[in-house]
Amino acid sequence: MKKIFSELKGFVVFSPQLLAKYLEENHLQGTNILKYFVENEHGDEITQSGIAIPIIGVEEDYYAFRVSVNDEKILNDDEVEVESRGWIFQTANNEVKIVGIGYLKDITSINDENCITFSLENGWYSLKILGGNKNGERLFELNMQKQDMPPAFSGDVTTEYYYG
């Protein structure tokens, strides 16, 4: 299972096509898009619109990611060490990407070596983020619950994901 490093102690889960569209529509120039997440309201808007979800407060290490849909489970209840609910996600182009958040300082540096890509049916999802250990490996499970329309956002961006 492929693992990626928690650059700047975090990750971002995003829909590449929707993020590019948001940046273009809002005339956000340049390759450093991390500044838009931390310096103004665009970060909140991108997150609450389900385009990009930050996973921050992560111990620096390599982590595996898996996507589960609806009732699927990757981590058993006794393997879950941290859980965060209330997130929303939308995808276009049947794709979800995860990358260390530090790579948002220069989005041209994102490549197949430093990110993980999953196929996911287009549409809206409510997202539950689970972190834990599975077979001795640090793992984040992104549980996507398919929705017919945009779900209400109630994710806590201050959640920290430090775990053993």
Side-chain angles (χ1 to χ4, degrees):
M1 190 177 324
K2 182 177 179 179
K3 296 179 186 178
I4 55 174
F5 193 75
S6 56
E7 299 289 333
L8 293 182
K9 297 185 179 187
F11 298 99
V12 66
V13 177
F14 66 104
S15 178
Q17 186 177 26
L18 295 175
L19 182 57
K21 180 180 175 189
Y22 181 91
L23 295 172
E24 182 181 321
E25 288 176 352
N26 289 278
H27 310 289
L28 302 177
Q29 307 282 322
T31 60
N32 180 357
I33 64 170
L34 183 60
K35 68 182 180 183
Y36 300 128
F37 278 85
V38 296
E39 292 177 2
N40 54 45
E41 76 286 346
H42 290 291
D44 290 342
E45 194 171 323
I46 290 168
T47 299
Q48 292 173 10
S49 300
I51 297 170
I53 310 303
I55 299 175
I56 55 174
V58 178
E59 187 176 340
E60 292 180 328
D61 202 352
Y62 284 89
Y63 293 80
F65 281 81
R66 298 280 302 275
V67 171
S68 59
V69 179
N70 297 325
D71 295 329
E72 289 180 309
K73 280 184 121 177
I74 308 295
L75 289 167
N76 297 321
D77 291 342
D78 62 336
E79 295 171 322
V80 175
E81 297 194 37
V82 64
E83 180 177 318
S84 184
R85 297 173 178 259
W87 300 97
I88 67 172
F89 189 74
Q90 64 171 314
T91 187
N93 211 28
N94 297 307
E95 185 175 60
V96 56
K97 281 193 182 287
I98 302 113
V99 69
I101 207 161
Y103 286 104
L104 296 184
K105 284 184 171 183
D106 179 6
I107 57 170
T108 63
S109 67
I110 298 173
N111 59 48
D112 290 339
E113 298 296 313
N114 58 28
C115 78
I116 296 174
T117 305
F118 292 102
S119 293
L120 185 65
E121 183 182 339
N122 287 346
W124 286 100
Y125 295 85
S126 58
L127 169 62
K128 178 171 54 172
I129 303 167
L130 306 165
N133 289 296
K134 180 118 185 137
N135 302 324
E137 291 187 317
R138 291 176 178 231
L139 173 74
F140 279 105
E141 176 182 350
L142 307 175
N143 179 253
M144 303 280 191
Q145 300 284 324
K146 187 85 164 115
Q147 306 292 317
D148 293 330
M149 49 195 277
F153 175 86
S154 63
D156 181 358
V157 295
T158 64
T159 300
E160 293 194 347
Y161 296 89
Y162 291 108
Y163 66 89

